[in-house]
Amino acid sequence: MFRTRVEGVENIPGDGPVILAGNHLTFIDSVIMPLTCDRQVFFIGKDEYVTGKGLKGRLMAWFFTGVGMVPVDRDGGRGGVAALMTGRRILEEGQVFGIYPEGTRSPDGRLYRGRTGIARLTLMTGAPVVPFAVIGTDKLQPGGAGLPRPGRVTVRFGEAMEFSRYEGMDRDRYVLRAVTDSVMTEVMRLSGQEYVDMYASKAKAA
């Protein structure tokens, strides 16, 4: 349906913990990208996706858990901590954890500043980071709603990045920012997106 072109998938290690970090244009990114990988990719998702009632609720729960979504209550002051700890658990089990450092979908197709949770995860677990870019999904599902239309999508993976030189520095905010920015620079290179040095959530609220 999406005529997906895949580049660089061999950069994903065949075993052990791996963080896949990339851009986020629309809802179907979390469906298309994992389908291009030989290993199962786990993502954090809103727990409301799997707690619905009736037939629709059961079908949604079946679908989202089937594509590797791990439900977490992300509302409230401890939502970010819960998501971080869930990602850490997945990595410590030797699995592949997918994350969107922007924290939300891009409001306009540009790449926004990354949040430092990605840096904390790689420094706490030692897992390498494989940057990726999904290209074209915003044309197939504008605004992230409704059924996607057929079309061409490219999923591009970069070379694995490791940050062992910063071991034990996962509470240093300058190190966290430097690691996050280096990952986002690679995502920008892979995607060809224009970079905006502000958080996407602030752009949406403006």
Side-chain angles (χ1 to χ4, degrees):
M1 179 178 180
F2 301 118
R3 294 180 292 155
T4 304
R5 178 187 295 114
V6 185
E7 301 173 8
V9 71
E10 67 276 4
N11 291 322
I12 302 174
D15 54 44
V18 183
I19 301 170
L20 301 184
N23 62 335
H24 195 14
L25 296 172
T26 192
F27 174 79
I28 57 173
D29 297 337
S30 300
V31 177
I32 293 177
M33 189 279 284
L35 290 175
T36 68
C37 303
D38 292 331
R39 300 177 62 186
Q40 184 171 12
V41 182
F42 294 91
F43 279 93
I44 294 296
K46 297 178 181 179
D47 61 350
E48 64 192 57
Y49 290 154
V50 298
T51 56
K53 305 297 183 181
L55 178 61
K56 180 180 178 181
R58 291 196 297 272
L59 287 173
M60 287 181 64
W62 170 80
F63 173 78
F64 285 111
T65 55
V67 297
M69 193 202 84
V70 180
V72 171
D73 182 359
R74 298 188 301 178
D75 294 330
R78 299 187 60 83
V81 175
L84 187 69
M85 291 302 101
T86 300
R88 181 177 184 174
R89 175 181 58 79
I90 291 169
L91 292 168
E92 289 177 343
E93 292 173 353
Q95 306 288 347
V96 181
F97 182 63
I99 187 171
Y100 301 115
E102 292 170 279
T104 186
R105 293 192 295 264
S106 170
D108 54 16
R110 297 185 294 176
L111 185 69
Y112 283 80
R113 194 180 200 208
R115 296 188 177 275
T116 57
I118 172 69
R120 292 193 65 191
L121 278 175
T122 185
L123 297 185
M124 286 190 299
T125 64
V129 178
V130 174
F132 72 85
V134 180
I135 302 167
T137 52
D138 54 333
K139 305 296 191 300
L140 309 186
Q141 193 183 37
L147 293 175
R149 63 185 70 137
R152 171 71 73 181
V153 173
T154 298
V155 182
R156 185 175 294 146
F157 297 94
E159 295 184 2
M161 307 171 71
E162 61 89 22
F163 300 96
S164 58
R165 61 192 180 278
Y166 298 123
E167 183 179 359
M169 303 176 72
D170 57 280
R171 294 188 180 276
D172 186 315
R173 63 190 181 97
Y174 296 105
V175 169
L176 294 177
R177 176 46 55 194
V179 169
T180 302
D181 287 349
S182 65
V183 172
M184 297 307 290
T185 296
E186 281 301 296
V187 174
M188 178 179 66
R189 183 184 66 81
L190 293 167
S191 69
Q193 291 170 280
E194 177 185 348
Y195 180 74
V196 183
D197 192 20
M198 67 180 296
Y199 294 121
S201 57
K202 289 187 176 181
K204 288 181 175 181

